[in-house]
Amino acid sequence: MRFIDEAIVTVKAGDGGNGIASFRREKYVPRGGPDGGDGGTGGDIYVIAEDNTNTLVDYRYTRRYDAMRGENGHSRNCSGKGSDDVFLPVPVGTTVIDTETDEVLGDMTEIGQTFLIAKGGDGGLGNTHFKSSTNQAPRKATSGFEGELKVLKFELKVVADVGLIGLPNAGKSTFIRQVSAATPKVADYPFTTLVPNLGVVDIGRHRSFVMADIPGLIEGASEGAGLGIRFLKHVARTRRLLHIVDIQPLDGSDPVQNARIIFNELERFSPELANLPQILILNKIDQIVDADELNELCEHIIAELDWTGAVFRTSTLTGEGVDPVKYHLMNEIELERERELEFPEFAEAQRARFERLEIEVRRNTEAQREAYRAARKAQREGTDLPDDDSFDGEAFDDDDDGVEVIYAP
């Protein structure tokens, strides 16, 4: 299916109905007085997070949504009927942003969560409201108020507890195939994975977490090279980063230097993202038969990186060492969730951290978009590109037609 991670929509809440000027007319009641009713309220527009949708593709074809206006008032002090509200379904993980102010209006993180994005106008007043001792037959009525008009951006981020990062061909896709039902494409060439993949890792009864396989990063990804800049934002909501390192790359490169490339790209793209807890996975241990040689190489990598966090050795091809990683991640995630429930101040700190990360990621992503658009404009006008050549023309699709993503059961 197509995975659309951004969409621009225009929403117009319903206008309020007009109040009317009316007078009671009945036999034997020559001076019945004013009886004009009020106008009905216009329809509100809401977004609602649903679990039966996982893309924003519908909003790429229908870009404007209008709620109905309220009915005008009626005689006999009858108010007009208010209009029905409009609900726009979005996937869990969607952020709603006002394009005019760049304000985040809502963050849809739970199924069923509902948020008002455009308020309908109130109805106008009928002439009954203007009756007084000195004006017993008012002919004044007011028009209904206009509903809110907004241009909004819907941003969808993959909602996962764990994000897989690493260079192309490090073994990320094979890892997620081992631990979940996801079946991303696996091949012996770089950039096999072109889109994010989600997999549910089932540990046991009522114990599971979601893992996201993010397309491989390369050097310069934080400045737009390759695919990294397009999908780095999808690890913005993860609790843990699983950094997979190929200990014996086919191209003969240094695994230590490869790991540092990822560290540097994360830091340059988003320091807040780089501070997320990371777990180091030394992968493809099946390629080294001699145990002493394997131990020596792994110890060398850990020492050169000055790594003090959790480390695991795995072979994603054979499945060796994968289960301990699963249980370690599950325990870490459960402990963190329990702390959030037990300590409100910790939960608040977590929420604030994710908010900072969201802002940082959005700002950096938009900066890269602007650089790409400026470069395309320069090419059209025949001017020179920026001296730093800090982007790859293939990295951004300015039309953002969407890409494919596989969601595992």
Side-chain angles (χ1 to χ4, degrees), residues 19-73:
I20 68 166
S22 173
F23 295 90
R24 183 181 176 191
R25 293 288 185 264
E26 292 183 33
K27 192 176 183 179
Y28 308 121
V29 187
R31 297 181 180 181
D35 68 348
D38 301 338
T41 57
D44 300 331
I45 299 182
Y46 295 83
V47 290
I48 180 169
E50 294 187 351
D51 60 349
N52 58 356
T53 180
N54 51 28
T55 78
L56 296 172
V57 66
D58 290 342
Y59 299 106
R60 299 307 299 271
Y61 301 110
T62 305
R63 296 173 180 253
R64 183 180 176 105
Y65 295 85
D66 294 79
M68 298 294 292
R69 70 185 302 273
E71 286 187 354
N72 294 334

Side-chain angles (χ1 to χ4, degrees), residues 169-175 178 243-249 255 280-288 294 297-298 301 311-322:
N169 253 43
K172 301 184 299 299
S173 295
T174 310
F175 187 92
Q178 283 281 359
H243 185 174
I244 298 183
V245 178
D246 183 351
I247 63 172
Q248 200 168 42
L280 188 65
I281 304 296
L282 303 180
N283 191 34
K284 302 187 180 181
I285 60 175
D286 58 291
Q287 296 187 10
I288 301 178
L294 176 62
L297 177 59
C298 291
I301 294 173
V311 183
F312 292 89
R313 303 179 187 182
T314 67
S315 169
T316 53
L317 181 64
T318 65
E320 181 181 355
V322 170

Side-chain angles (χ1 to χ4, degrees), residues 19-20 47 50 85 119 187 224 251 265 276 292 358 368 377 386:
I20 68 166
V47 290
E50 294 187 351
D85 298 330
K119 177 68 176 173
D251 60 2
E265 293 307 315
L276 284 177
D292 293 334
E358 291 272 355
Q368 287 303 318
K377 181 179 179 181

Side-chain angles (χ1 to χ4, degrees), residues 70-115:
E71 286 187 354
N72 294 334
H74 303 282
S75 58
R76 299 185 180 180
N77 291 316
C78 292
S79 297
K81 180 182 178 181
S83 177
D84 293 334
D85 298 330
V86 174
F87 291 84
L88 305 181
V90 297
V92 174
T94 300
T95 301
V96 182
I97 304 165
D98 189 326
T99 59
E100 183 177 353
T101 63
D102 206 31
E103 176 188 1
V104 176
L105 301 181
D107 202 5
M108 315 305 288
T109 57
E110 299 178 1
I111 295 174
Q113 182 180 354
T114 304
F115 189 82

Side-chain angles (χ1 to χ4, degrees), residues 315-331:
S315 169
T316 53
L317 181 64
T318 65
E320 181 181 355
V322 170
D323 283 345
V325 180
K326 290 166 47 179
Y327 289 108
H328 175 81
L329 288 170
M330 187 74 261
N331 292 335

Side-chain angles (χ1 to χ4, degrees), residues 52-54 91 155 167 198-199 206 222 252 260 265 300 341 351 359 366 378 383:
N52 58 356
T53 180
N54 51 28
E155 281 188 356
L167 288 177
L198 282 185
H206 303 305
S222 63
R260 286 174 177 163
E265 293 307 315
H300 168 74
L341 293 175
R351 186 192 63 78
I359 294 171
E366 285 301 317
T383 57

